[in-house]
Amino acid sequence: MKKYMLKIIIEKVSRSKKFQLPKYHSENSSGLDIVADINNPVKLQQNEIFLAPTGIKLKIPQGYEGQVRSRSGLALKHGVIVLNSPGTIDSDYRGEIKIILFNHGSIDFIINNKDRIAQMILMPVHKME
């Protein structure tokens, strides 16, 4: 079976010297791990929402969208989810990708720089008439 790769341009907008590009955790991962790009740790209290910067912009080709999803480990162990999962990144959006996180857990959760906070997959878009 032949693998087809679609080139997506990821642009760094972070000012952090410890910036990390998104990457696949393993060869068979379907989701690209997205990390927090923050200067200081953030305490996400119970029932609190935080808009987490990622330090990246994407150039997604027309006919595709990025879908941002919760990481199952964060959801299971800490109750931290992507609030609007799956969040959509449209092909014409050129701003910094930011992730809406929600702490649905029973205790505070600390987000550190470069923590894996979400995952993203690329999906084709089918228009309706």
Side-chain angles (χ1 to χ4, degrees), residues 60-105:
I60 298 173
Q62 186 176 358
Y64 291 86
E65 68 162 329
Q67 290 186 0
V68 178
R69 300 176 178 189
S70 299
R71 293 190 63 245
S72 57
L74 278 182
L76 176 64
K77 295 173 187 171
H78 306 286
V80 175
I81 61 170
V82 174
L83 187 57
N84 61 328
S85 185
T88 295
I89 305 168
D90 293 314
S91 63
D92 61 351
Y93 178 71
R94 294 296 182 257
E96 180 181 4
I97 304 302
K98 295 184 180 180
I99 311 297
I100 305 169
L101 295 176
F102 179 72
N103 184 354
H104 200 2

Side-chain angles (χ1 to χ4, degrees), residues 42-48 74-81 102-111:
V42 172
K43 182 191 288 187
L44 187 59
Q45 297 178 4
Q46 182 181 9
N47 294 321
E48 186 177 24
L74 278 182
L76 176 64
K77 295 173 187 171
H78 306 286
V80 175
I81 61 170
F102 179 72
N103 184 354
H104 200 2
S106 58
I107 60 172
D108 296 346
F109 180 75
I110 303 297
I111 303 167

Side-chain angles (χ1 to χ4, degrees), residues 10-127:
I10 301 175
E11 179 183 337
K12 175 186 172 188
V13 294
S14 171
R15 293 189 183 104
S16 171
K17 292 180 181 176
K18 296 182 179 183
F19 173 75
Q20 181 177 322
L21 279 171
K23 61 183 175 183
Y24 291 99
H25 188 67
S26 70
E27 182 180 343
N28 293 319
S29 295
S30 57
L32 189 68
D33 286 332
I34 304 292
V35 300
D37 183 56
I38 52 179
N39 292 325
N40 299 305
V42 172
K43 182 191 288 187
L44 187 59
Q45 297 178 4
Q46 182 181 9
N47 294 321
E48 186 177 24
I49 297 170
F50 174 62
L51 186 61
T54 64
I56 61 169
K57 291 182 181 181
L58 301 174
K59 292 184 181 175
I60 298 173
Q62 186 176 358
Y64 291 86
E65 68 162 329
Q67 290 186 0
V68 178
R69 300 176 178 189
S70 299
R71 293 190 63 245
S72 57
L74 278 182
L76 176 64
K77 295 173 187 171
H78 306 286
V80 175
I81 61 170
V82 174
L83 187 57
N84 61 328
S85 185
T88 295
I89 305 168
D90 293 314
S91 63
D92 61 351
Y93 178 71
R94 294 296 182 257
E96 180 181 4
I97 304 302
K98 295 184 180 180
I99 311 297
I100 305 169
L101 295 176
F102 179 72
N103 184 354
H104 200 2
S106 58
I107 60 172
D108 296 346
F109 180 75
I110 303 297
I111 303 167
N112 295 294
N113 190 42
K114 298 196 299 184
D115 278 355
R116 294 183 296 158
I117 56 172
Q119 57 184 330
M120 182 182 68
I121 64 168
L122 188 67
M123 295 295 293
V125 173
H126 303 280
K127 294 287 188 171

